[in-house]
Amino acid sequence: EVQLVESGGGLGKPGGSLRLSCAASGFTFSSYSLNWVRQAPGKGLEWVSSISGSGNNIYYADSVKGRFTISRDNANNSLYLQMHSLRAEDTAVYYCAKDGVVTDYFDHWGQGALVTVSS
Amino acid sequence: DILLTQSPALVSVSPGEKVTLSCRASQRVSNNVAWYHQKPGQSPRLLVYGASTRASGIPRRFSGTGSGTEFTLTISSLESEDFGVYFCQQYNDWVSVTFGGGTTVDFK
């Protein structure tokens, strides 16, 4: 059974930093691209970033480019999102999501980690 | 970015009724569209990918159609667990996937 478990959410200050982690199990971790998708309170879904199975190909939404860094540790089946220069509009539930077999849609999602940016 | 417009924003239905949800893309996305269902307080669940292929474990009452810019998700006979928000997603532009704004399905 595929499992994705996020951790590291919480309260961050404007201009501050937070790091999210996602522990994965139940699939061949290094074979799949992984993603971060966020959802602001009461709003829709916004793709944030993706990383290929090898870690060599990385993409970001314009809204986070230059501030967020995605990475993965294939030895420990873990995905990360380092967030810097936080803004109020980064407040959201952040989901870790696994690519499907045919790629680029998301066939499994974690339960989400809430990030609140406030002074 | 490719804009996805979902309609209606809200639909009120009774169990057993048929529901058709629409998703329109601002440019052609081939059949690279997925649909997700999200219940309150839960993470999204994949229903359909490739515009018409049901994901593993998804009941036959869910069906997706479309290609190009117009897509629909049909629930043939709504069950109580089907209420919530439905999102479409395009992944034709795989460098920048986008989601529609969602359609809420609630009780009439």
Side-chain angles (χ1 to χ4, degrees):
Chain A
E1 178 192 3
V2 172
Q3 286 199 316
L4 300 166
V5 180
E6 300 93 338
S7 60
L11 178 64
K13 293 188 182 301
S17 299
L18 281 174
R19 189 192 197 209
L20 300 179
S21 300
C22 173
S25 61
F27 63 100
T28 305
F29 187 77
S30 60
S31 295
Y32 291 90
S33 294
L34 293 170
N35 308 266
W36 290 100
V37 178
R38 68 185 181 183
Q39 186 170 35
K43 303 296 185 181
L45 300 169
E46 180 189 15
W47 169 80
V48 172
S49 181
S50 66
I51 184 168
S52 62
S54 65
N56 290 338
N57 299 300
I58 288 174
Y59 307 97
Y60 297 99
D62 288 344
S63 57
V64 306
K65 200 172 294 182
R67 300 188 300 121
F68 290 10
T69 301
I70 191 172
S71 62
R72 64 191 295 161
D73 179 350
N74 286 349
N76 290 296
N77 289 4
S78 294
L79 174 72
Y80 305 101
L81 185 68
Q82 179 68 57
M83 303 182 289
H84 294 298
S85 302
L86 287 167
R87 305 168 179 168
E89 54 265 36
D90 295 322
T91 294
V93 173
Y94 285 72
Y95 295 103
C96 167
K98 170 188 166 290
D99 262 25
V101 173
V102 185
T103 202
D104 298 321
Y105 58 86
F106 309 136
D107 65 357
H108 289 87
W109 299 62
Q111 86 287 353
L114 176 62
V115 170
T116 303
V117 181
S118 174
S119 54
Chain B
D1 287 356
I2 298 173
L3 178 66
L4 296 180
T5 302
Q6 290 189 242
S7 61
L10 170 67
V11 59
S12 299
V13 296
S14 299
E17 290 185 353
K18 178 180 178 179
V19 180
T20 300
L21 311 180
S22 174
C23 176
R24 174 176 292 177
S26 60
Q27 58 186 272
R28 295 183 67 83
V29 293
S30 185
N31 67 336
N32 295 314
V33 165
W35 289 90
Y36 302 87
H37 176 217
Q38 185 178 35
K39 297 179 185 179
Q42 296 187 15
S43 54
R45 179 191 185 192
L46 175 68
L47 298 174
V48 167
Y49 62 92
S52 61
T53 302
R54 274 189 302 275
S56 175
I58 301 302
R60 294 171 62 91
R61 65 181 182 273
F62 292 94
S63 62
T65 60
S67 183
T69 61
E70 300 284 344
F71 301 88
T72 60
L73 178 73
T74 300
I75 310 171
S76 60
S77 179
L78 201 77
E79 298 197 4
S80 58
E81 65 260 31
D82 299 337
F83 293 93
V85 184
Y86 290 80
F87 295 98
C88 60
Q89 175 217 355
Q90 69 77 22
Y91 49 95
N92 195 62
D93 180 3
W94 47 269
V95 174
S96 181
V97 302
T98 50
F99 293 89
T103 292
T104 299
V105 176
D106 73 358
F107 285 101
K108 183 179 290 183

